[in-house]
Amino acid sequence: MNARDGEQSVGRGWLDVKGSIVDYMLVIIGFGLCRAWIVSCLSASVASFGPRTDWVFLLAGAASASLTAMAMTRFVGSLPRMHERLTDVMTGLILGSAICIPAAAWLDSPTLLMLGLIVGGAGAGLLQVIWGEQFAAQNLFFSLACAPAAAIITGIVLAMSSTDNQLTFVVLPILSLLLLVLECKRCKIEWKTGLPEGVVEDDLDEAVIAPDEHGVLRDRMRLGKDSAKLLVSIMVFSFLIRAFDAFPIGDLDPFEMVGGSGSFSLVIVGAIFLAISFFIKDRMNVSLVYRLSLPIMIAGLIAMALLFEQRTYFSVLATSIGYELFDILSWVLFGEISRRIGRNAAPYVFGLGVAFTFTGMAAGYVLSAVLNPLVVSGAVRIGSVALIAILCLVVIAFLVLPESAIASMTAIKMPGKKTEAPKPDPAIEREPTITLEEKCSGIARECGLTPREEEVLAFLARGRTLTIVARDLHIAKNTARTHIEKIYQKTGIHKQQELIDFIEEWEPEENARKAADA
């Protein structure tokens, strides 16, 4: 369902609404606790076990998230059942981790700790994917407010908690899960199936209409090139930031009293992002955040490479701030990509996003474990590693993910100050408003559509999906599919959103001539 219609669709309601304050708070706190739990598990794996096992936790999360994305590409006719299995598995993994990790500490069992980390990592990957659905279910403004605020919550929780307190590994994931269930109930959604209360599986749209470049409809979801570049970029960012985690630091942490540089950077980044979102408002451009994240992170690496030749807390703070800015931005963009693909795309998009992020972090931890002894012995200079990291960021900025690619992912306009409409000139005769049906009829004449294709075009203009078209016109789905393919071929348009934009902007040739003459 397209937000332009202002109607509630089957599912989570893809409307351009801000949501209530309660919805904001539930998502902010719940997602913030989820991220705090992940960081706590990573810290526990480093502090409580001999070999570094943080990469095991992350790879387990990447595997569960990627399997979710793969499963969702085959969702036709089985999405609710798939979603229910996903939530059942996630709940079991979270409860298993909440039992295993504290038990490992009490019993001093490395094996039990390893099991708890694997189970917890898989559960954390799934929990982040399900929280991603809450971001995608609202508009861009909701994501811009919730993602940075959740980072602040994460930083505060980490500053107040300790990896020695085993209740952290029980309270954080279970409370996050309970808040997720509560948010779904508030929105009258069956949290296990993702369907509205009282809606059966047969009423669910079976597919997202997403024709390829040849105008042929596909049942499976695919990301565009810019979205794929975003995934590669967040993986590289995550890899680079974690590659420096195990390196020695040459001075005392000036933010130890507030939980350390990591927690402090989360709070600062969240505050910066919120300030940009709320104070700029109608002039908000997510590219601005991307513009800030790269130079800040590069500044920290330059300080490490040229000024100090060691990893200082200034460089740690700068690189962390730059990375967290991009990390929050990526979550905002994942939600935007999901909205643009269709209502059922969130598990697929966020599954890939979490998988790429966790994979990059895991690879970074492995590299840091390999390089750390070499840096300590003097065989490898940390400045050389920092220069290589700078080169990677430059390649990302100019070749992989330029600013234009970021801008192309956010088509929804931000709500801002209302501007007074210009007063009409009485000397100019006003043209009557053209209805949507009249526009569809005009386009049908221009493009040579048949009467039945004109009827289908009117449905597509309102954001209707293949199942709805077939049901309301009392035709077979294959027949409806053929009509839709013909419409895309005759109009030369390959995406439903582009078709909607084309219809909204279409004017009769007579009106267009008058406008040009004026």
Side-chain angles (χ1 to χ4, degrees):
M1 178 68 64
N2 191 273
R4 300 173 188 272
D5 287 333
E7 300 173 359
Q8 181 74 27
S9 66
V10 178
R12 190 45 212 278
W14 294 83
L15 301 177
D16 190 18
V17 295
K18 295 184 181 179
S20 69
I21 297 299
V22 177
D23 291 323
Y24 276 113
M25 296 308 299
L26 287 175
V27 175
I28 288 167
I29 297 174
F31 184 59
L33 293 177
C34 173
R35 301 293 285 265
W37 172 49
I38 292 173
V39 177
S40 298
C41 287
L42 294 175
S43 301
S45 68
V46 174
S48 306
F49 194 57
R52 292 181 64 94
T53 54
D54 34 26
W55 60 273
V56 177
F57 177 90
L58 292 167
L59 284 183
S64 65
S66 60
L67 288 175
T68 299
M70 292 172 59
M72 289 303 167
T73 62
R74 300 176 179 272
F75 69 89
V76 176
S78 62
L79 177 61
R81 292 194 298 273
M82 185 67 66
H83 200 286
E84 187 171 6
R85 294 190 188 99
L86 177 69
T87 51
D88 286 339
V89 171
M90 177 188 70
T91 303
L93 292 172
I94 290 174
L95 294 177
S97 174
I99 294 172
C100 289
I101 294 181
W106 294 332
L107 300 176
D108 194 22
S109 172
T111 303
L112 197 57
L113 176 61
M114 178 68 78
L115 177 62
L117 291 172
I118 295 175
V119 171
L126 295 178
L127 185 58
Q128 284 207 102
V129 172
I130 301 300
W131 271 118
E133 286 187 301
Q134 312 310 311
F135 282 86
Q138 298 287 354
N139 64 357
L140 178 59
F141 186 86
F142 188 93
S143 299
L144 288 170
C146 287
I152 295 176
I153 295 295
T154 301
I156 293 174
V157 170
L158 291 175
M160 297 174 61
S161 61
S162 170
T163 54
D164 297 331
N165 185 359
Q166 300 304 315
L167 288 177
T168 298
F169 304 101
V170 179
V171 174
L172 295 184
I174 293 179
L175 185 56
S176 177
L177 181 61
L178 291 177
L179 290 174
L180 175 63
V181 176
L182 180 59
E183 167 65 2
C184 289
K185 286 188 175 296
R186 269 187 50 81
C187 300
K188 297 182 180 180
I189 298 295
E190 293 288 347
W191 79 281
K192 281 194 172 184
T193 63
L195 292 176
E197 295 178 355
V199 175
V200 297
E201 182 176 342
D202 293 338
D203 295 331
L204 187 68
D205 301 341
E206 73 166 18
V208 176
I209 297 180
D212 61 14
E213 63 272 13
H214 303 295
V216 179
L217 299 180
R218 302 299 184 189
D219 289 334
R220 297 185 184 180
M221 288 174 281
R222 291 289 185 271
L223 292 182
K225 291 182 179 179
D226 289 340
S227 301
K229 291 176 181 179
L230 175 64
L231 293 175
V232 173
S233 299
I234 188 59
M235 182 172 65
V236 173
F237 268 71
S238 302
F239 169 75
L240 294 178
I241 193 68
R242 298 306 166 209
F244 290 92
D245 269 8
F247 289 177
I249 300 178
D251 52 8
L252 297 177
D253 190 348
F255 305 104
E256 187 66 35
M257 296 297 294
V258 290
S261 296
S263 300
F264 182 74
S265 64
L266 281 170
V267 175
I268 290 297
V269 167
I272 293 173
F273 208 116
L274 280 176
I276 294 174
S277 300
F278 283 101
F279 288 106
I280 296 180
K281 291 184 180 178
D282 53 323
R283 292 176 287 116
M284 173 64 183
N285 185 347
V286 293
S287 301
L288 174 63
V289 180
Y290 185 54
R291 232 174 281 153
L292 288 174
S293 64
L294 282 168
I296 291 175
M297 192 169 179
I298 289 175
L301 294 172
I302 290 175
M304 194 183 306
L306 303 180
L307 302 181
F308 303 107
E309 189 53 41
Q310 61 181 344
R311 187 168 176 255
T312 68
Y313 275 105
F314 168 79
S315 59
V316 170
L317 184 63
T319 52
S320 297
I321 289 176
Y323 168 74
E324 295 298 342
L325 278 172
F326 187 71
D327 182 56
I328 294 174
L329 175 63
S330 67
W331 268 82
V332 173
L333 293 176
F334 291 153
E336 189 72 354
I337 294 168
S338 301
R339 285 186 286 270
R340 295 180 67 177
I341 294 179
R343 171 174 47 78
N344 300 322
Y348 171 69
V349 175
F350 280 93
L352 290 177
V354 172
F356 273 74
T357 302
F358 276 20
T359 300
M361 294 172 66
Y365 277 130
V366 171
L367 180 63
S368 69
V370 173
L371 291 180
N372 185 40
L374 300 176
V375 171
V376 172
S377 65
V380 174
R381 299 178 61 183
I382 192 172
S384 302
V385 180
L387 290 175
I388 295 175
I390 292 172
L391 177 60
C392 292
L393 291 178
V394 171
V395 171
I396 290 293
F398 288 96
L399 298 180
V400 179
L401 192 69
E403 191 175 315
S404 59
I406 294 289
S408 69
M409 299 178 197
T410 52
I412 296 179
K413 295 181 180 179
M414 293 291 298
K417 298 179 180 179
K418 295 182 179 179
T419 57
E420 185 178 354
K423 295 182 179 180
D425 188 344
I428 300 177
E429 182 181 357
R430 297 184 62 186
E431 294 293 338
T433 302
I434 306 174
T435 65
L436 183 63
E437 288 73 16
E438 291 172 338
K439 289 185 176 183
C440 290
S441 297
I443 293 173
R445 288 193 299 271
E446 289 184 2
C447 299
L449 302 183
T450 65
R452 177 61 87 179
E453 289 169 356
E454 181 182 336
E455 291 179 324
V456 175
L457 178 66
F459 277 88
L460 298 181
R462 292 181 172 85
R464 302 301 192 264
T465 56
L466 175 64
T467 300
I468 300 299
V469 172
R471 184 194 68 190
D472 290 359
L473 291 180
H474 306 289
I475 59 178
K477 290 181 179 178
N478 287 337
T479 303
R481 186 188 301 275
T482 301
H483 288 317
I484 294 171
E485 291 177 355
K486 291 292 185 182
I487 290 171
Y488 283 117
Q489 290 172 1
K490 292 180 180 180
T491 58
I493 297 174
H494 307 306
K495 294 183 180 179
Q496 187 175 10
Q497 185 57 55
E498 292 178 0
L499 182 64
I500 292 171
D501 294 338
F502 171 69
I503 295 171
E504 289 188 343
E505 296 171 1
W506 181 88
E507 292 183 359
E509 294 183 2
E510 181 180 354
N511 286 2
R513 271 197 312 272
K514 289 182 178 180
D517 294 339

